[in-house]
């Protein structure tokens, strides 16, 4: 009987553990953006194009995070700040695209912080 309790406890522990998604994907977000841009039913995307776009986004975020980490280590800090992200975006993206990405990111952070203050 004592052995059964151990197995029951193990099963409960497994069920209560957080499950991480290994194959995280931006598929749903890409479809939402398409529906927002073109309206309901206005645009569709093939599965191959969706996979390619998903891989591009994954690679971009991987490059962005590794560049931000390098900047953080170079400045001998242990905390990732908004400055690190902005500089990483400026390094990875070039010219006008970087300027627009940084300004849109700043707007998003301001909107989020305003929303947090209200609640």
């Amino acid at each position: 009987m004592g052995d059964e309790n151990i197995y029951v406890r193990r099963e409960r522990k497994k069920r209560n553990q957080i499950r991480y998604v290994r194959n995280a994907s931006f598929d749903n977000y890409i479809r939402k953006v398409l529906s927002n841009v073109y309206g309901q039913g206005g645009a569709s995307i093939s599965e191959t194009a969706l996979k390619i776009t998903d891989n591009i986004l994954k690679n971009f975020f991987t490059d962005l995070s590794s560049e931000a980490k390098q900047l953080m280590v170079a400045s001998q800090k242990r905390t990732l700040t908004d400055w690190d992200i902005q500089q990483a975006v400026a390094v990875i993206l070039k010219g006008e695209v970087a300027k627009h990405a940084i300004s849109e990111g700043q707007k998003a952070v301001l909107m989020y912080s305003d929303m947090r203050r209200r609640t």
Side-chain angles (χ1 to χ4, degrees), residues 3-18:
D3 294 334
E4 292 176 4
N5 289 338
I6 291 172
Y7 294 119
V8 170
R9 278 188 255 148
R10 283 183 190 168
E11 286 299 317
R12 283 189 192 140
K13 190 174 182 180
K14 280 184 184 179
R15 271 188 257 140
N16 292 336
Q17 286 179 345
I18 297 173

Side-chain angles (χ1 to χ4, degrees), residues 15-116:
R15 271 188 257 140
N16 292 336
Q17 286 179 345
I18 297 173
R19 292 182 184 94
Y20 294 101
V21 179
R22 288 188 182 165
N23 296 327
S25 175
F26 294 102
D27 293 353
N28 293 334
Y29 302 108
I30 295 167
R31 291 183 198 275
K32 284 181 185 179
V33 168
L34 277 176
S35 68
N36 286 341
V37 171
Y38 292 106
Q40 293 296 330
S44 62
I45 187 168
S46 66
E47 286 299 316
T48 54
L50 190 64
K51 286 180 183 178
I52 290 169
T53 308
D54 187 50
N55 285 333
I56 289 171
L57 286 172
K58 285 180 184 177
N59 289 338
F60 174 74
F61 284 118
T62 303
D63 294 344
L64 183 69
S65 62
S66 64
E67 185 66 34
K69 181 183 175 196
Q70 288 175 358
L71 288 169
M72 187 180 71
V73 169
S75 61
Q76 298 178 350
K77 294 187 295 183
R78 295 182 64 180
T79 305
L80 185 67
T81 61
D82 58 341
W83 183 86
D84 297 324
I85 299 295
Q86 287 180 6
Q87 295 304 314
V89 167
V91 168
I92 291 174
L93 301 175
K94 304 293 183 205
E96 286 293 315
V97 176
K99 290 178 187 176
H100 286 293
I102 290 171
S103 68
E104 290 296 320
Q106 287 174 339
K107 279 197 315 188
V109 168
L110 283 174
M111 285 175 55
Y112 177 75
S113 62
D114 288 344
M115 185 180 68
R116 289 277 304 225

